[in-house]
């Protein structure tokens, strides 16, 4: 298949072929990802193999060139992700693609560039799947802080500094606009010149605004949108690497971030997105009860390609909408997701022209 990684059968997994140590000499990662061929799999082994998978230390990605038989569902649920030929099936553990081997090759290439962050992303998704939201956000943030000290993020940051990125412009007077109309509170991200980048000023202003409906139960509905060409282009990259230390950064992300607040207000919150929704631009909205997207909206979660994982709650909010398997696909590859597929997957709830 030309991926350069081992392909195992279900029988191989049953025989312990994936049980070898993931760390080699000098703590180098050994085979952080393996492919599992599901074509002609022995259904009698599925239950036993599925029970073994959660204890394995590497990512296991399934491959199927036809429809996945119903008997394999326990195994695809246990694997980290499965690619199948054809359209997306109803099973959230599976991603449909025109070319299975090309999709696998791209996933493996991405893993090769950032193996630590990709592996940690998979571990966090497994761990947080069954945790309550606040605890799951804590796990995500602790993993994020760990990766901030890693070589992959350090290399990305060094390259960005080498390119001499400009300093961020002075903050605007009102990073978040607040308007109440009856029992509805309208919040608008208001840094259009930065595509509403989720920097310190905007984040803090949004957090303060979200505390209003938590304290005032006469607010029946919260509507969050963004000014300018994009709802939110994600974290302000010019602020990356400027936190005083990773422990403080963890506390800011969890106790000073918007994700926990949106989750607490989820039942009475709608987010209206458009343009580019990158990183935090979909991580935070995904906690809400309802997301309405403009037809041209594009979603991306590129943090793994920076040596990190989503850090605004995305390892918690996104998989609870689309499943941890499709979330891992988005995280590792960094591929853009268009609005129609996002709707089909459940990442958003409606597509509508802005203003309707």
């Amino acid at each position: 298949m030309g991926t350069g990684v081992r392909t195992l059968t279900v029988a191989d997994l049953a025989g312990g072929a994936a049980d070898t140590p993931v760390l080699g000499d000098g703590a180098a990662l050994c085979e952080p990802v393996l492919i599992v061929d599901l074509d002609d799999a022995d259904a009698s082994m599925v239950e036993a193999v599925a029970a073994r998978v959660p204890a394995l230390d590497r990512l296991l990605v399934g491959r199927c060139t036809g429809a996945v038989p119903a008997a394999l569902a326990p195994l695809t649920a246990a694997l980290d992700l499965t690619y199948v030929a054809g359209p997306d099936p109803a099973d959230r553990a599976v991603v449909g693609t025109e070319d299975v081997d090309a999709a696998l090759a791209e996933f493996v290439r991405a893993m090769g560039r950032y193996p630590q962050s990709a592996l940690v992303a998979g571990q966090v998704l497994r761990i947080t799947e069954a945790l309550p939201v606040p605890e799951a956000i804590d796990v995500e943030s602790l993993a994020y802080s760990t990766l901030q000290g890693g070589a992959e993020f350090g290399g990305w940051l060094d390259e960005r500094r080498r390119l001499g990125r400009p300093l961020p412009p002075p903050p605007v007077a009102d990073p978040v606009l607040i308007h109440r109309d009856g029992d509805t509170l309208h919040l608008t991200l208001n840094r259009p010149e930065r595509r509403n980048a989720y920097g310190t000023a905007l984040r803090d202003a949004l957090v303060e605004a979200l505390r209003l409906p938590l304290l005032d139960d006469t607010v029946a509905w919260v509507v969050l949108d963004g000014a300018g060409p994009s709802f939110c282009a994600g974290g302000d990259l010019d602020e990356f690497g400027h936190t005083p230390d990773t422990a403080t950064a963890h506390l800011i992300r969890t106790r000073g971030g918007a994700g926990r607040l949106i989750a607490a207000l989820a039942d009475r919150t709608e987010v209206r997105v458009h343009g580019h929704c990158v990183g935090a631009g979909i991580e935070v909205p995904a906690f809400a009860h309802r997301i309405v997207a403009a037809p041209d909206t594009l979603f991306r979660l590129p943090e793994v390609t920076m040596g990190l994982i989503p850090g605004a709650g995305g390892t918690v909010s996104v998989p609870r909408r689309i499943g941890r398997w499709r979330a891992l696909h988005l995280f590792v590859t960094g591929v853009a997701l268009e609005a129609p597929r996002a709707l089909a997957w459940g990442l958003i709830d409606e597509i509508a022209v802005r203003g309707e």
Side-chain angles (χ1 to χ4, degrees), residues 16-268:
D19 295 358
T20 55
V22 75
L23 290 179
D25 294 339
L29 283 174
C30 298
E31 298 185 314
V33 59
L34 295 173
I35 295 170
V36 181
D37 192 347
L38 300 181
D39 289 343
D40 302 318
D42 186 343
S44 68
M45 297 182 174
V46 165
E47 294 287 349
V49 171
R52 291 173 57 92
V53 168
L56 300 177
D57 292 327
R58 43 182 51 90
L59 298 184
L60 297 176
V61 181
R63 172 187 182 273
C64 190
T65 59
V68 179
L72 298 188
L75 181 54
T76 56
L79 296 175
D80 295 287
L81 168 64
T82 294
Y83 288 108
V84 63
D88 293 314
D91 184 359
R92 299 193 306 172
V94 179
V95 173
T97 178
E98 292 182 0
D99 189 328
V100 173
D101 291 335
L104 283 166
E106 178 53 36
F107 188 94
V108 169
R109 280 195 295 270
M111 282 283 306
R113 292 190 291 267
Y114 297 95
Q116 291 180 338
S117 54
L119 189 57
V120 168
Q123 291 170 340
V124 169
L125 287 169
R126 291 180 189 175
I127 293 167
T128 59
E129 187 175 23
L131 290 178
V133 167
E135 288 86 342
I137 289 175
D138 282 347
V139 171
E140 171 191 280
S141 182
L142 291 167
Y144 189 100
S145 281
T146 297
L147 290 169
Q148 281 183 308
E152 293 175 2
F153 175 62
W156 177 87
L157 197 59
D158 287 345
E159 178 64 13
R160 185 168 178 82
R161 287 168 175 164
R162 186 187 67 80
L163 294 174
R165 302 300 298 182
L167 293 174
V172 297
D174 297 303
V176 175
L177 302 178
I178 303 173
H179 170 67
R180 182 160 181 172
D181 182 8
D183 60 2
T184 299
L185 185 68
H186 294 269
L187 307 177
T188 300
L189 306 183
N190 188 39
R191 290 190 70 197
E193 78 287 353
R194 300 285 288 178
R195 294 194 301 165
N196 297 319
Y198 193 69
T200 301
L202 186 144
R203 180 201 65 212
D204 291 349
L206 178 59
V207 166
E208 287 301 313
L210 290 170
R211 286 183 177 140
L212 297 175
L214 283 176
L215 297 172
D216 185 355
D217 59 11
T218 67
V219 176
W221 198 242
V222 178
V223 176
L224 174 63
D225 61 11
S230 290
F231 169 74
C232 178
D236 193 328
L237 300 186
D238 289 328
E239 294 185 9
F240 276 51
H242 292 287
T243 52
D245 59 80
T246 56
T248 300
H250 161 67
L251 294 173
I252 293 172
R253 274 192 304 274
T254 56
R255 272 59 186 176
R260 285 164 61 113
L261 298 178
I262 292 286
L265 293 164
D267 289 345
R268 47 184 171 139

Side-chain angles (χ1 to χ4, degrees), residues 59 80-83 92-95 107 118 121-122 124-126 128-129 140 282-283 286 300-304 309-310 313-335 337 345 347:
L59 298 184
D80 295 287
L81 168 64
T82 294
Y83 288 108
R92 299 193 306 172
V94 179
V95 173
F107 188 94
V124 169
L125 287 169
R126 291 180 189 175
T128 59
E129 187 175 23
E140 171 191 280
I282 182 56
E283 296 175 54
R300 284 189 63 237
L301 291 145
E303 292 91 343
V304 167
I309 60 173
T315 67
V316 184
S317 62
V318 172
R320 292 178 194 220
R321 278 183 164 267
I322 69 173
R324 65 175 173 87
W325 311 270
R326 289 174 177 174
L328 184 68
H329 163 71
L330 296 179
F331 295 169
V332 173
T333 64
V335 68
L337 188 68
W345 283 10
L347 184 61

